[in-house]
């Protein structure tokens, strides 16, 4: 064997966490292959029946069990309240370029809207987030976290000790992360196994796209934690910019952005700072994100009484007050919202210019777009 | 392999444990990004698990798996090359965390990592995964002559580091 072959084939230093992460996925793929679909369905039904029976017995027989039932509160077919405002078609015939649907908070209600169709009201909400593939919506209202199917059916709900904030559904759909007081909580996408991961602060969490369940969050104002939630192990704990309000990953999960009012930092998945940028003199950063599918950064800055949204230095929208923009799943468009004005679809690429393509009638004021989901499958 | 195809999870785990280091290292050498390489090696095993029933068990398992790994790693490396925006300053920052290049072995690995993707891929496929020129040509979808010329250029570029290895 040549020296080159010997050195290339030299076993790498052991990396047990990486091997175990890979093994869990490979084992799951192998189990799916090895078990016939009918048997899987039968086993799932049997397990669900046993679980419901056990929960009923425990709930009936013990005081603690009663508490668990109140907390989990599974009511799949509960009636959905109707939004108090008159629903009307969105965009009046306009289409959403790239397709998909929007998750909108308006008048204290979460609704799913499709262009040209009446909004589907879900529930009263403080915050809401789409699931990975947009089939479900997690809604936080006070101390309650509830998941709805996009057709309005309530799927499950749980109640926490204090207000639920910063809900984020993981890209693989398996977990929802959220903050309760100063703790970071996780619950499985089906509402099972709510657990505490540790301390957290701030209103921003960001799941890393990819197979490993890595969450970026502020553990303290000066500690940005990148944690593999499957093991609870920290991958890195870099120091974030002061007063960080924004955390966002690239679509490929290879870059993380952390931004505060004065500094923006781009980090590697290992927490290594790669780029650092200061806010313009006399201005402040009020939002930042990556353009989907790229490593380009979009910045929302406030300076001299005006908000400017720019992609890699090119202004795409400005107004006295702009809401944080929402990207289309394909990254070609963004929804820019100015307070008191209709939300506008703006082309994101230089060749397309800056003229808004269409206004969406999402409501005149107090409207927040929480998500635009999902990429059209090819 | 036969036992794994029959549904023996322990046999499948044995296959995984035996081949994971090779898959992970090959992906890392081609892609040069620890996290992406882990994703690619994981995906290769997930794909292999899903396709295990279709695998002809009269053939050896390792070449089949290494082909899956190689194809995915090269696709990922090409995608990274197309999308890459953070330039050499980022690579410098990442390099600063690597172990010091004091040993000749480490310098040779660094020289391999510094090769252009087309040369690096053929070097890894030929000298680490042991593929023949024809097999590499099929994986890369290029003529066999192109494989040979890339291999020659890659080895020429590695010559100084290889000469350090010589006794």
């Amino acid at each position: 064997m040549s020296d080159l072959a010997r050195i290339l084939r030299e076993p790498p230093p052991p990396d047990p966490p990486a091997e175990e992460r890979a093994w869990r996925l490979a084992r799951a793929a192998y189990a799916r292959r090895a078990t016939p679909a009918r048997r899987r369905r039968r086993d799932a039904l049997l397990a669900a029946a046993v679980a419901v029976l056990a929960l009923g017995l425990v709930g009936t027989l013990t005081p603690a069990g009663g508490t668990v039932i109140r907390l989990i509160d599974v009511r799949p077919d509960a009636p959905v309240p109707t939004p108090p405002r008159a629903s009307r078609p969105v965009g009046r015939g306009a289409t959403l370029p790239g397709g998909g649907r929007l998750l909108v908070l308006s008048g204290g209600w979460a609704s799913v809207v499709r262009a040209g169709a009446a909004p589907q009201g879900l529930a009263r909400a403080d915050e809401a987030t789409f699931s990975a593939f947009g089939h479900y919506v997690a809604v936080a209202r006070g101390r309650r976290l509830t998941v709805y199917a996009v057709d309005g059916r309530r799927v499950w709900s749980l109640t926490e000790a204090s207000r639920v904030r910063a809900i984020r559904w993981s890209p693989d759909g398996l977990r929802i992360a959220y903050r309760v007081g100063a703790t970071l909580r996780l619950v499985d996408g089906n509402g099972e196994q709510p657990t505490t991961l540790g301390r957290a602060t701030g209103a921003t969490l960001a799941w890393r796209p990819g197979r490993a369940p890595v969450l970026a969050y502020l553990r303290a104002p000066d500690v940005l934690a990148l944690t593999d939630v499957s093991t609870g192990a920290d991958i890195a704990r870099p120091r974030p910019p002061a007063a960080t309000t924004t955390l966002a990953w690239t679509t490929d999960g290879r870059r993380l952005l952390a931004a505060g009012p004065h500094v923006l930092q781009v980090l590697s998945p290992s927490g290594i700072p790669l780029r650092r940028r200061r806010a313009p003199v006399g201005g402040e950063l009020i939002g930042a994100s990556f353009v989907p599918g790229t490593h380009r950064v979009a910045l929302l800055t406030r300076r001299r009484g005006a908000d400017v949204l720019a992609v890699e230095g090119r202004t795409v929208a400005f107004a006295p007050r702009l809401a944080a923009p929402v990207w289309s799943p394909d990254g070609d468009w963004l929804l820019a919202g100015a307070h008191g004005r209709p939300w506008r679809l703006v082309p994101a690429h230089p060749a397309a210019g800056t003229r808004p393509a269409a206004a969406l009638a999402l409501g005149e004021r107090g409207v927040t777009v929480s998500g635009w989901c999902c990429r059209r499958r090819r | 392999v036969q036992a794994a195809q029959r549904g023996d999870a322990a046999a499948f785990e044995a296959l995984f444990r035996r081949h994971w280091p090779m898959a992970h290292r090959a992906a890392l050498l081609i892609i040069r990004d620890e996290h992406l390489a882990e994703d690619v090696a994981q995906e290769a095993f997930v794909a292999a698990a899903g396709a295990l029933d279709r695998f002809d068990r009269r053939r050896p398992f390792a070449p089949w798996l290494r082909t899956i790994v190689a194809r995915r790693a090269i696709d990922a490396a090409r995608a990274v090359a197309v999308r890459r925006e953070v330039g050499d300053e980022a690579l410098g920052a990442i390099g600063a965390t690597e172990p010091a290049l004091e040993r000749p072995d480490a310098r040779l690995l660094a020289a391999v990592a510094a090769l252009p993707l087309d040369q690096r891929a053929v070097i890894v496929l030929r000298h680490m995964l042991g593929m023949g020129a024809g097999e590499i040509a099929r994986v890369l979808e290029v003529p066999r002559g192109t494989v040979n010329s890339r291999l020659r250029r890659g080895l020429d570029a590695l010559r100084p580091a290889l000469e350090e290895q010589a006794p």
Side-chain angles (χ1 to χ4, degrees):
Chain A
M1 189 190 303
S2 70
D3 284 339
L4 181 58
R6 176 182 59 76
I7 290 166
L8 292 178
R9 292 175 189 179
E10 207 167 67
D15 185 359
E19 184 169 338
E20 288 314 305
R21 281 193 294 270
W23 168 237
R24 276 198 299 275
L25 287 167
R27 185 179 55 195
Y30 179 74
R32 282 197 299 275
R33 163 220 156 265
T35 311
R38 190 177 299 169
R39 187 174 154 197
R40 280 206 309 273
R41 209 161 39 239
R42 190 193 66 198
D43 289 350
L45 283 173
L46 188 62
V50 168
V52 168
L53 184 62
L55 189 61
L57 282 173
V58 171
T60 308
L61 297 177
T62 69
T67 306
V68 170
I69 285 184
R70 283 195 297 281
L71 285 177
I72 302 227
D73 190 16
V74 180
R75 294 170 58 196
D77 298 319
V80 176
T82 309
R85 294 149 61 94
S87 297
R88 57 179 172 163
V90 172
R92 300 203 176 279
T95 56
L96 280 176
R101 46 187 174 254
L102 305 176
L103 179 57
V104 173
L105 290 177
S106 174
W109 280 79
S111 303
V112 173
V113 299
R114 295 179 176 83
Q120 168 68 55
L122 296 177
R124 287 196 174 280
D126 302 325
E127 292 181 35
T129 180
F130 270 127
S131 65
F133 304 107
H135 300 310
Y136 298 94
V137 174
V139 170
R141 170 73 174 169
R143 296 189 297 129
R144 182 169 285 259
L145 176 63
T146 307
V147 166
Y148 295 87
V150 289
D151 62 7
R153 183 172 46 90
R154 187 158 82 163
V155 182
W156 58 262
S157 180
L158 62 79
T159 303
E160 289 285 2
S162 61
R163 187 174 167 189
V164 173
R165 300 165 193 265
I167 46 175
R168 299 285 186 280
W169 210 312
S170 66
D172 59 9
L174 297 179
R175 298 174 180 87
I176 301 170
Y178 55 98
R179 191 166 66 77
V180 176
T183 59
L184 179 62
R185 301 270 289 161
L186 292 172
V187 61
D188 288 354
N190 60 4
E192 294 174 357
Q193 299 187 34
T195 54
T196 297
L197 189 64
R199 294 185 65 78
T201 185
T204 184
L205 314 171
W207 287 100
R208 183 187 174 203
R211 296 195 178 278
V214 174
L215 185 66
Y217 61 99
L218 291 175
R219 182 168 296 157
D222 60 348
V223 179
L224 169 59
L226 276 66
T227 303
D228 181 336
V229 303
S230 63
T231 60
D234 285 346
I235 294 166
R237 287 188 296 273
R239 187 180 181 86
T244 291
T245 54
T246 304
L247 294 173
W249 289 94
T250 51
T251 314
D252 62 8
R254 300 185 65 239
R255 295 291 178 265
L256 171 67
L257 174 159
H262 305 299
V263 172
L264 175 144
Q265 223 176 35
V266 176
L267 304 109
S268 77
S270 312
I272 299 166
L274 302 176
R275 289 168 69 184
R276 184 180 171 86
R277 183 169 170 177
R278 298 194 68 79
V281 176
E284 61 178 311
L285 300 170
I286 53 176
S289 60
F290 285 110
V291 180
T294 75
H295 289 191
R296 295 159 64 205
V297 175
L299 285 179
L300 183 57
T301 54
R302 179 166 297 164
R303 192 179 176 194
R304 295 177 189 152
D307 291 353
V308 176
L309 176 63
V311 178
E312 293 286 331
R314 186 181 65 87
T315 299
V316 294
F318 59 92
R321 285 288 179 272
L322 280 171
V326 178
W327 287 95
S328 67
D330 58 10
D332 290 341
W333 295 84
L334 53 85
L335 261 173
H339 291 286
R341 296 183 190 176
W343 283 69
R344 289 183 179 276
L345 279 163
V346 179
H349 297 305
T354 57
R355 180 187 290 274
L360 285 182
L362 299 173
E364 295 304 313
R365 61 184 61 188
V367 175
T368 305
V369 179
S370 292
W372 185 344
C373 191
C374 294
R375 195 183 185 100
R376 191 179 283 163
R377 295 189 179 186
R378 296 178 181 173
Chain B
V1 172
Q2 289 178 23
Q5 284 180 320
R6 284 196 304 268
D8 182 344
F12 181 69
E13 180 171 7
L15 280 176
F16 172 87
R17 301 286 178 201
R18 183 185 306 165
H19 295 286
W20 167 259
M22 174 278 296
H24 190 198
R25 184 165 176 85
L28 186 59
L29 284 168
I30 293 172
I31 301 172
R32 301 188 308 184
D33 179 297
E34 191 182 327
H35 295 273
L36 196 54
E38 183 185 330
D39 286 351
V40 163
Q42 282 177 0
E43 286 169 10
F45 273 99
V46 168
L52 199 58
D53 288 334
R54 296 194 296 277
F55 174 64
D56 179 356
R57 59 192 179 200
R58 290 167 299 185
R59 294 166 50 207
F61 181 78
W64 180 62
L65 180 68
R66 76 190 180 195
T67 303
I68 297 174
V69 173
R71 283 186 200 280
R72 284 170 184 265
I74 289 162
D75 286 349
R78 284 173 177 160
V80 168
V82 168
R83 281 198 301 253
R84 186 158 60 94
E85 292 206 3
V86 178
D88 292 344
E89 76 284 5
L91 293 175
I94 294 165
T97 67
E98 300 290 330
L101 303 178
E102 288 170 358
R103 294 184 307 132
D105 288 8
R107 283 198 289 277
L108 180 54
L109 284 175
V112 171
L115 290 174
L117 174 61
D118 57 357
Q119 295 171 27
R120 190 168 73 245
V122 293
I123 291 284
V124 173
L125 267 51
R126 177 73 188 92
H127 289 278
M128 183 196 168
L129 297 180
M131 289 183 175
E135 201 177 357
I136 296 172
R138 282 194 296 278
V139 169
L140 296 178
E141 296 172 341
V142 296
R144 193 175 174 136
T146 303
V147 170
N148 287 330
S149 63
R150 288 179 183 176
L151 200 53
R152 176 49 47 207
R153 284 201 301 273
L155 288 172
D156 286 347
L158 294 178
R159 189 176 312 282
L162 281 168
E163 283 169 357
E164 282 188 51
Q165 300 289 325

